[in-house]
Structures are given as structure tokens and as C-alpha cells.
């Protein structure tokens, strides 16, 4: 369950083997990634807290109407992004530099003077994880009528590439190996619904078309994929593309 570099570090520590020194650019990249990871964790705590508070009533009502009980809400870390700039203020208080704040993908620079504002506001929040389970980004579903886009993802960052991520793969990879197949669905709520019904080998693309890179990720766990997209015209067309 470790990345290549994490496995190298763990084995080197276990057997007392010194690792080669990393170059300065590599160290800078490591610091950038560490800052981005830390920012996601701060945001997750804020979104989870807001979800449980009075402000998150609409988000809780939506997931309840979709048949997601509280234990499943907790397991998937569902949250709520308030209307105000809670993440921007929290990152500033935590000492993040303006560059680190922008690189987190969680906030945007103000067009009307100094400072930042939250990218996600008044949205139901879905944490996105890497294959090894690290929190790397978020997706937010609009709750107010007319708010577009309906689903908004974090932009690509040092730790997040949409085409290289599958929602829920960090939970589903062992069940996929055990059952010898994965279930590919279109959306986050589809995955959560299937997971709650016992189909714990369900995964979904993160707001993009199914890519060759994602196929290669799945193939490490099983060669078999059941494509289960929505039964409308758009879903059938997307399923046909995914199967190819």
C-alpha cells in the first residue's frame, strides 16, 4: 500500500541502508507537495466540522435524501464548504505563504486587491484520495439552484492529476483483487451508494472521461471491469467510449 518512494524509505530504514541524497530541485518539490498535503488536511477538518454544524443542514439533507446514512457519510468524509472564506483564513493563520495557498488548489487570488477567497463555497464536499489513501484534492457539488458547474473539482496541482486518479480506489483495491473485478460508475454518489449496498469494489473517474492511465491503474488489481454508467443517452455514450 505504499508509493515507490515510501517503500524505498521504509526498506532503507529497516536494513540500515543510506539513501542517496536528493537534489535541491527534488527537495523543493518535496516541500511543495508536503505543503499541498497539509493544506488538504486543514480543509477537510473545516469541511467536516461545517457539515455537522447548522450551516451544513442543506448538505446533510441532500445526502440523506440520496439514502446515505450517517456512518457512510463519516466513512467517506463528506463535508460542506460554507459560503464564507474559512479555508483561506485558516491557511493564512497556519502560516502558508501566498504561493503555497495558490498551489493548494483550495483558494483563488482576489481580483479586487490583496488576499484570497475559497474556491469551494456552499457545496457538498467529497474528499479525493490517491491510490495509497493520501488526501490529494476535493470535488464539490452545488447545492443552490443555478450554481454552475454542478460538480467542481480541485485544479491539477503537484499532488493531484485528474486523469491519474480513481475515486475510492484506495478503499476498493483489495476488494477488486478479492472479487477479481471492479465496477466502474460515473459519479461519487454512485460509488457511495454501491459501497453502502455491499458492492465495495466500485470506483469512478474524477469528473473526467475514463483514461488509459486509469485503465492501467485498475489492471494492477484485476483485468476485469464492469461498466455500469447511467442508463440515459449520455451515460450510454460514455459507457461505449469507456469500453473501447
Amino acid at each position: 500500500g505504499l508509493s515507490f518512494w515510501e517503500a524505498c524509505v521504509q526498506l532503507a530504514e529497516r536494513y540500515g541502508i543510506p539513501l542517496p541524497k536528493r537534489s535541491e530541485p527534488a527537495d523543493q518539490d518535496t516541500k511543495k507537495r508536503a505543503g499541498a498535503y497539509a493544506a488538504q488536511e486543514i480543509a477537510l477538518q473545516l469541511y467536516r466540522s461545517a457539515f455537522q454544524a447548522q450551516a451544513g443542514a442543506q448538505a446533510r439533507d441532500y445526502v440523506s435524501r440520496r439514502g446515505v446514512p450517517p456512518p457512510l457519510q463519516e466513512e467517506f468524509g463528506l463535508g460542506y464548504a460554507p459560503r464564507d472564506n474559512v479555508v483561506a483564513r485558516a491557511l493564512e493563520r497556519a502560516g502558508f505563504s501566498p504561493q503555497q495557498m495558490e498551489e493548494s488548489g483550495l483558494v483563488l487570488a482576489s481580483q479586487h486587491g490583496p488576499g484570497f477567497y475559497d474556491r469551494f463555497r456552499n457545496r457538498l464536499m467529497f474528499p479525493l484520495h490517491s491510490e495509497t489513501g493520501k488526501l490529494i484534492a476535493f470535488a464539490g457539488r452545488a447545492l443552490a439552484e443555478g450554481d454552475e458547474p454542478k460538480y467542481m473539482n480541485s485544479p491539477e496541482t503537484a499532488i493531484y492529476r485528474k486523469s491519474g486518479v480513481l475515486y475510492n480506489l484506495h478503499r476498493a483495491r483489495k476488494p477488486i483483487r478479492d472479487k477479481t473485478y471492479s465496477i466502474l460508475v460515473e459519479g461519487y454518489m454512485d460509488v457511495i451508494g454501491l459501497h453502502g449496498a455491499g458492492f465495495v469494489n466500485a470506483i469512478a473517474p474524477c469528473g473526467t472521461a475514463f483514461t488509459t492511465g486509469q485503465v492501467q491503474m485498475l489492471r494492477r488489481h484485476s483485468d476485469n471491469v464492469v461498466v455500469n454508467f447511467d442508463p440515459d443517452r449520455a451515460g450510454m455514450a460514455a459507457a461505449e467510449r469507456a469500453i473501447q
Side-chain angles (χ1 to χ4, degrees), residues 3 6 21 35 53-54 126 132 137 142 165-167 169 173 183 186 191 197 220 230 239:
S3 70
E6 288 166 340
K21 289 185 177 179
Q54 184 176 352
F126 300 84
T132 56
V165 176
L166 285 164
Y167 182 62
L169 183 57
R173 56 186 182 161
I183 304 173
E186 284 191 80
V191 168
R220 290 202 291 268
D230 293 347

Side-chain angles (χ1 to χ4, degrees), residues 160-179:
Y160 175 57
R161 295 286 182 272
K162 285 183 188 178
S163 61
V165 176
L166 285 164
Y167 182 62
N168 197 49
L169 183 57
H170 67 296
R171 293 185 194 88
R173 56 186 182 161
K174 185 178 185 302
I176 289 170
R177 290 195 295 269
D178 292 344
K179 295 175 182 291

Side-chain angles (χ1 to χ4, degrees), residues 138-201:
F138 289 90
R141 188 198 188 281
L143 293 169
E145 196 70 35
D147 272 5
E148 295 295 337
K150 182 178 176 182
Y151 278 93
M152 177 191 294
N153 276 41
S154 293
E156 299 209 338
T157 66
I159 59 174
Y160 175 57
R161 295 286 182 272
K162 285 183 188 178
S163 61
V165 176
L166 285 164
Y167 182 62
N168 197 49
L169 183 57
H170 67 296
R171 293 185 194 88
R173 56 186 182 161
K174 185 178 185 302
I176 289 170
R177 290 195 295 269
D178 292 344
K179 295 175 182 291
T180 71
Y181 71 97
S182 57
I183 304 173
L184 179 70
V185 295
E186 284 191 80
Y188 310 114
M189 291 299 293
D190 300 327
V191 168
I192 295 171
L194 280 172
H195 187 95
F199 296 92
V200 292
N201 51 336

